[in-house]
Amino acid sequence: MKVADMHCDTISEILYDRKSEPPKGRALRKNDLHIDLEKMKKGDYLVQNFALFVELKKRENPFEWCMELVDTFYTELAANSDLIAPARSYDDIIRNMESGRMSALLTIEEGGTCKGNPAFLRNFYRLGVRMLTLTWNYPNEIGYPNRRPEAAYDVPDIENGLTPFGIEFMQEMERLGMIVDVSHLSDAGFYDVARYAKKPFVASHSNARSVCGNVRNLTDDMLRKLSECGGVTGMNYEPSFLRAYEPEEKKYAAISQVVAHIKHIADVAGTQCIGLGSDFDGIATNHELPDASYLPMLEDALWKAGFGQDEIEGIFYKNVLRVYREVLR
């Protein structure tokens, strides 16, 4: 079964390694991370979104750091052009597949890298960025996140949404042909996006809050609105987004927990809004889905849970490709 995964942090981990002393020599082709090209081939990957993750409070110049990540992305793709190629559109993904190569779609996880300047957004688009997560865990010029240092993980922000600039920023993304990503965004921000969006948007790596109360997940009402907009939410394999744990409890995630989220979302919003968004290399290791090569096990679990061929194909790649076909250009 082909795989379209909307989110991983592998490029950031490779750059971190290059700047560490001593480096481990991590590269995209083979490494000790959740994702490398060999693992992706075993997992039958069609397209992987590679997020450029920037933590605002740890970077003196977030834009400069993001540019280093862009360089790391293209350097790694050039070194592995026999296996993977960049994709900026749905047609690119199909052409790459026909040539026997996987696709890499470039995304940014933190709208604050644009520093409130739409010119930076447009230049990222020119560099191939085709999806952008509006916030990470800090407020920025665009809006507010749901995970706040002063609040518990089950207390959403229902008051602070997109700023007036954030609404304009989102609209410029749509005009360019870049996908708006609401993972990490506050509840109020989600509803602002749903109100102003003219095209499908995504939650690239978020699950169902009714199954696990972490505010990084979406409520049933959000899921229905996302589905109505033609959007997709990508199932995140992080243990704490799959079920609640006591503080002293060892986190052990199971494939059955991922399936539980998929079943719930299918019941409340339909399978057409479900995709994959592993968050690989940005999360704790999921012991039953420890890396990209294990995706056939999730397929088997969905078969056993009663999902049909068309539904599983939709969840694994077709729903995401539909959004790419409608939005990217």
Side-chain angles (χ1 to χ4, degrees), residues 4-8 48-49 131 202-204 232-234 276-277 320 324:
D5 184 338
M6 288 197 290
H7 190 87
C8 78
Q48 175 66 57
N49 288 13
M131 181 185 293
V202 305
S204 67
V232 174
T233 187
L276 302 178
V320 170
Y324 292 177

Side-chain angles (χ1 to χ4, degrees), residues 7 9 53 109 133 135-137 145-148 152-155 182-185 203-219 223 233-246 251-262 264-265 277-286:
H7 190 87
D9 291 305
F53 168 62
E109 186 177 23
T133 312
T135 67
W136 189 61
N137 290 344
N146 239 0
R147 279 186 62 173
R148 295 159 292 157
Y153 288 171
D154 60 352
V155 180
V182 299
S183 282
H184 289 279
L185 191 62
S204 67
H205 53 302
S206 297
N207 299 334
R209 202 179 299 174
S210 288
V211 180
C212 174
N214 195 303
V215 295
R216 277 280 288 101
N217 294 332
L218 304 180
T219 67
L223 291 165
T233 187
M235 296 298 93
N236 191 319
Y237 311 153
E238 158 63 33
S240 62
F241 299 161
L242 292 172
R243 76 170 181 88
Y245 290 85
E246 297 298 327
K251 294 179 180 179
Y252 183 92
I255 292 176
S256 62
Q257 295 162 6
V258 180
V259 174
H261 282 265
I262 291 173
H264 178 81
I265 297 170
S278 65
D279 209 358
F280 273 149
D281 296 318
I283 59 172
T285 296
N286 181 315

Side-chain angles (χ1 to χ4, degrees), residues 288-306:
E288 291 192 4
L289 287 171
D291 63 50
S293 69
Y294 283 76
L295 267 295
M297 295 183 66
L298 177 58
E299 179 190 354
D300 289 344
L302 290 175
W303 279 111
K304 292 173 182 176

Side-chain angles (χ1 to χ4, degrees), residues 43-277:
D44 198 18
Y45 273 57
L46 174 65
V47 55
Q48 175 66 57
N49 288 13
F50 288 96
L52 310 181
F53 168 62
V54 180
E55 187 168 355
L56 292 180
K57 291 190 177 181
K58 290 188 176 181
R59 300 296 161 197
E60 183 176 348
N61 190 326
F63 177 80
E64 183 178 288
W65 180 257
C66 198
M67 290 299 292
E68 286 197 58
L69 288 166
V70 171
D71 178 68
T72 302
F73 174 80
Y74 281 112
T75 299
E76 288 296 322
L77 291 193
N80 296 284
S81 59
D82 58 322
L83 293 179
I84 194 166
R88 301 185 178 196
S89 68
Y90 170 82
D91 289 342
D92 286 347
I93 295 169
I94 300 306
R95 279 192 290 267
N96 290 339
M97 180 181 66
E98 290 173 346
S99 69
R101 294 185 292 177
M102 297 177 286
S103 287
L105 194 140
L106 185 60
T107 77
I108 291 176
E109 186 177 23
E110 176 52 83
T113 56
C114 293
K115 303 176 75 171
N117 188 338
F120 286 3
L121 173 68
R122 289 188 285 271
N123 281 327
F124 279 132
Y125 179 84
R126 294 175 184 120
L127 288 169
V129 175
R130 290 298 182 268
M131 181 185 293
L132 183 142
T133 312
L134 298 179
T135 67
W136 189 61
N137 290 344
Y138 306 122
N140 61 27
E141 298 86 353
I142 299 165
Y144 294 81
N146 239 0
R147 279 186 62 173
R148 295 159 292 157
E150 72 279 7
Y153 288 171
D154 60 352
V155 180
D157 188 342
I158 60 174
E159 297 179 354
N160 301 297
L162 296 184
T163 65
F165 170 78
I167 296 168
E168 295 175 1
F169 186 92
M170 182 201 84
Q171 292 170 334
E172 180 66 358
M173 287 179 64
E174 289 192 327
R175 186 193 70 81
L176 289 168
M178 187 184 293
I179 297 168
V180 175
D181 179 10
V182 299
S183 282
H184 289 279
L185 191 62
S186 68
D187 281 19
F190 174 95
Y191 285 108
D192 285 339
V193 171
R195 183 178 305 114
Y196 292 104
K198 304 298 184 185
K199 297 180 180 179
F201 61 95
V202 305
S204 67
H205 53 302
S206 297
N207 299 334
R209 202 179 299 174
S210 288
V211 180
C212 174
N214 195 303
V215 295
R216 277 280 288 101
N217 294 332
L218 304 180
T219 67
D220 289 356
D221 186 64
M222 290 176 179
L223 291 165
R224 283 188 285 266
K225 282 189 164 46
L226 182 69
S227 185
E228 291 167 3
C229 292
V232 174
T233 187
M235 296 298 93
N236 191 319
Y237 311 153
E238 158 63 33
S240 62
F241 299 161
L242 292 172
R243 76 170 181 88
Y245 290 85
E246 297 298 327
E248 69 282 357
E249 186 180 2
K250 184 178 180 180
K251 294 179 180 179
Y252 183 92
I255 292 176
S256 62
Q257 295 162 6
V258 180
V259 174
H261 282 265
I262 291 173
K263 290 176 69 175
H264 178 81
I265 297 170
D267 288 342
V268 300
T271 57
Q272 71 276 0
C273 73
I274 309 172
L276 302 178

